[in-house]
């Protein structure tokens, strides 16, 4: 997967223009608030995913403008492709000149992984972000999983509504049917997540070991009420049914399903201790990076395409050895890497350097050796 050209008009603070990146490393440097992350966000939009900063589509239209336009030329599946995005209130997209039913349909055509400081919450915060990471990563591999997740959510909401009605005096008989349904859908969610964790674990361990120079060990573990990775989907289903039965009293009292895959977690330990509570800033950053880079290697293994890596401010808080590992590890991928001070990444050979200044992006490559 290689971005060959990107054009932008009316997007965030970017001055209308375009860049022609190289297939290797593209460095974007500049002071704070100049538009580096904005450029990564523009590329990310072509994955069909939501803004990695949690922005609404309309937030990305330049202040005072009606719409933004993005255009990309990329090489994937052994051919040159072209896509366009228009952002107004929402995003619309076309691929090869044909309008898609929705911008999310770009998924699977252009793929990327993104690391942003916002992702540090993946380690620091509660389990919700980690479940979202697992689910989103698996959706890139198996787009059909999106439907499985939606089905689980729908049944969960219906069971919760029934619990509230029972609390208000409705008879409880119907609950059994919903337990069965929720356990069935829950077992499918469980099966997908455990399959993904099995796939990603070796890569996470290897990459984290590499980042830490072989000095530290990371462990990731699925913490689920349905059991561990050895549990089969059918066993998970049975387990969930009995769990729902067990907790029915509390569930009715709270009007909420208190157990199930919507409460599961992905536990990350560094050197045997919970990373969320004990890891340093640099270790947490390394752990998130290991998860993200592992996500890319699994994606490549399954789809045969190396996703583009968007690395936002990845170097800060990493010592020189960790920085060097990251730079070497991503050798051979197309990378967009932002930084304020370009000197650490200048240790790399090859690649292009762009300066970002008040939304204007200038190719500095010819001046690099000067
Ligand atoms: N819709 C918009 N229209 C115009 N400008 C915007 C819009 N959204 C954000 N900006 C501006 O873009 C700038 C931030 O750009 P960006 O986040 O890309 O900075 P950065 O170069 O990554 O900085 P840092 O090094 O601090 O991460 C801010 O000054 C902000 O005001
Ligand atoms: Mg930024």
């Amino acid at each position: 997967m290689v971005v060959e050209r990107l054009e932008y008009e009316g997007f965030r603070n970017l001055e209308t223009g375009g860049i022609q990146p190289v297939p290797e490393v593209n460095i974007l440097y500049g002071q704070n608030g100049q538009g580096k992350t904005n450029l990564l966000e523009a590329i990310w939009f072509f994955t069909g995913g939501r803004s990695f900063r949690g922005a609404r589509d309309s937030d990305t239209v330049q202040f005072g403008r009606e719409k933004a336009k993005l255009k990309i030329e990329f090489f994937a599946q052994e051919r040159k492709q072209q896509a366009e995005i228009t952002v107004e209130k929402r995003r619309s997209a076309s691929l090869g000149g044909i309008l898609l039913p929705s911008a999310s349909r770009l998924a699977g055509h252009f793929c990327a992984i993104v690391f942003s400081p916002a992702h540090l919450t993946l380690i620091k915060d509660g389990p919700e972000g980690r479940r979202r990471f697992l689910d989103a990563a698996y959706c890139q591999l198996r787009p059909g999983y999106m439907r499985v997740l939606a089905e689980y959510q729908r049944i969960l909401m219906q069971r919760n509504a029934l619990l509230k009605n029972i609390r208000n005096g409705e008879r409880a008989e119907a609950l059994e049917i919903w337990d069965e349904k929720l356990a069935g859908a829950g077992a499918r969610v469980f099966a997908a997540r455990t399959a993904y964790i099995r796939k990603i674990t070796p890569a996470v361990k290897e990459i984290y070991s590499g980042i830490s120079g072989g000095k530290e060990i990371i462990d990731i573990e699925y913490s689920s009420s349905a059991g561990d990775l050895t549990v089969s989907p059918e066993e998970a289903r049975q387990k969930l049914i009995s769990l729902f039965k067990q907790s029915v009293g509390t569930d009715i009292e709270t009007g909420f399903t208190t157990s199930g895959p919507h409460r599961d977690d992905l536990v990350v330990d560094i050197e045997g201790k919970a990373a969320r509570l004990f890891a340093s800033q640099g270790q947490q950053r390394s752990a998130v990076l290991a998860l993200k880079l592992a996500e890319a290697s699994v994606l490549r293994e399954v789809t045969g395409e190396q996703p583009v890596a968007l690395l936002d401010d990845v170097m800060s808080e990493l010592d020189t050895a960790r920085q060097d590992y990251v730079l070497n590890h991503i050798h051979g991928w197309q990378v967009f890497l932002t930084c304020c001070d370009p000197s650490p990444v200048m240790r790399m050979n090859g690649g292009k350097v762009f300066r970002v200044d008040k939304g204007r992006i200038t190719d500095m490559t010819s001046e690099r050796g000067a």
Side-chain angles (χ1 to χ4, degrees), residues 67 105 129 131 163 187 213 224 255 307 339:
K67 62 178 163 187
R105 292 292 182 92
R131 288 193 297 267
L163 287 168
S224 169
C339 50

Side-chain angles (χ1 to χ4, degrees), residues 2-274:
V2 172
V3 179
E4 296 182 332
R5 186 168 172 81
L6 176 78
E7 289 172 25
Y8 32 83
E9 187 187 332
F11 187 81
R12 296 274 197 191
N13 75 334
L14 299 181
E15 198 172 277
T16 299
I19 56 165
Q20 245 155 305
V22 285
E24 298 92 24
V25 175
N26 298 277
I27 296 165
L28 301 150
Y29 80 94
Q31 292 176 345
N32 295 136
Q34 301 301 307
K36 304 181 293 294
T37 306
N38 292 343
L39 188 89
L40 297 191
E41 198 178 29
I43 300 173
W44 176 254
F45 266 17
F46 286 98
T47 64
R50 296 179 47 205
S51 159
F52 55 83
R53 300 161 134 181
R56 284 174 307 186
D57 287 352
S58 56
D59 292 340
T60 65
V61 178
Q62 199 162 90
F63 303 144
R65 286 208 189 215
E66 298 271 294
K67 62 178 163 187
K69 269 184 176 293
L70 301 170
K71 194 170 159 188
I72 200 170
E73 286 167 24
F74 63 103
F75 196 84
Q77 280 129 10
E78 288 159 22
R79 62 199 162 89
K80 224 181 160 78
Q81 304 191 46
Q82 189 255 22
E84 285 185 41
I85 290 177
T86 304
V87 195
E88 286 170 289
K89 269 209 175 67
R90 309 193 62 188
R91 255 184 281 173
S92 58
S94 66
L95 182 70
I98 296 163
L99 189 68
L100 300 172
S102 86
S104 66
R105 292 292 182 92
L106 284 166
H109 295 280
F110 178 78
C111 60
I113 57 124
V114 58
F115 169 91
S116 125
H119 290 128
L120 292 172
T121 55
L122 196 59
I123 301 290
K124 283 189 205 161
D125 288 5
E128 195 187 339
R130 290 183 288 279
R131 288 193 297 267
R132 209 178 314 119
F133 164 76
L134 283 177
D135 291 337
Y138 199 67
C139 281
Q140 283 215 56
L141 282 188
R142 303 260 182 270
Y145 179 53
M146 247 181 257
R147 277 197 306 277
V148 175
L149 269 178
E151 173 80 355
Y152 181 79
Q153 284 303 336
R154 188 180 61 79
I155 299 172
L156 180 64
M157 275 167 60
Q158 281 165 326
R159 186 178 189 270
N160 287 345
L162 181 61
L163 287 168
K164 288 191 188 81
N165 289 342
I166 295 172
R167 194 175 55 185
N168 297 332
E170 197 173 300
R171 288 155 62 114
E173 272 101 78
L175 202 54
E176 204 166 317
I177 305 165
W178 289 104
D179 289 359
E180 292 274 346
K181 285 188 180 188
L182 192 62
R188 284 192 288 280
V189 171
F190 175 86
R193 290 185 185 157
T194 48
Y196 189 68
I197 293 169
R198 267 198 294 273
K199 262 195 190 316
I200 204 174
T201 302
V204 173
K205 290 180 84 73
E206 188 191 321
I207 294 167
Y208 191 87
S209 165
I211 296 178
S212 69
K215 292 196 197 90
E216 293 167 12
I217 291 175
I218 194 170
D219 290 296
I220 60 173
E221 199 187 316
Y222 190 39
S223 159
S224 169
S225 48
D228 61 18
L229 297 195
T230 62
V231 169
S232 74
E234 177 51 26
E235 287 166 333
R237 197 182 70 84
Q238 301 285 356
K239 182 76 203 280
L240 288 172
I241 291 178
S242 61
L243 261 179
F244 297 150
K245 281 204 183 7
Q246 258 171 40
S247 52
V248 69
T250 334
D251 286 6
I252 292 172
E253 216 169 281
T254 52
F256 178 77
T257 306
T258 51
S259 52
H262 59 288
R263 304 299 289 273
D264 289 354
D265 197 359
L266 177 73
V267 178
V268 180
D269 284 353
I270 294 171
E271 295 288 273
K273 299 267 187 311

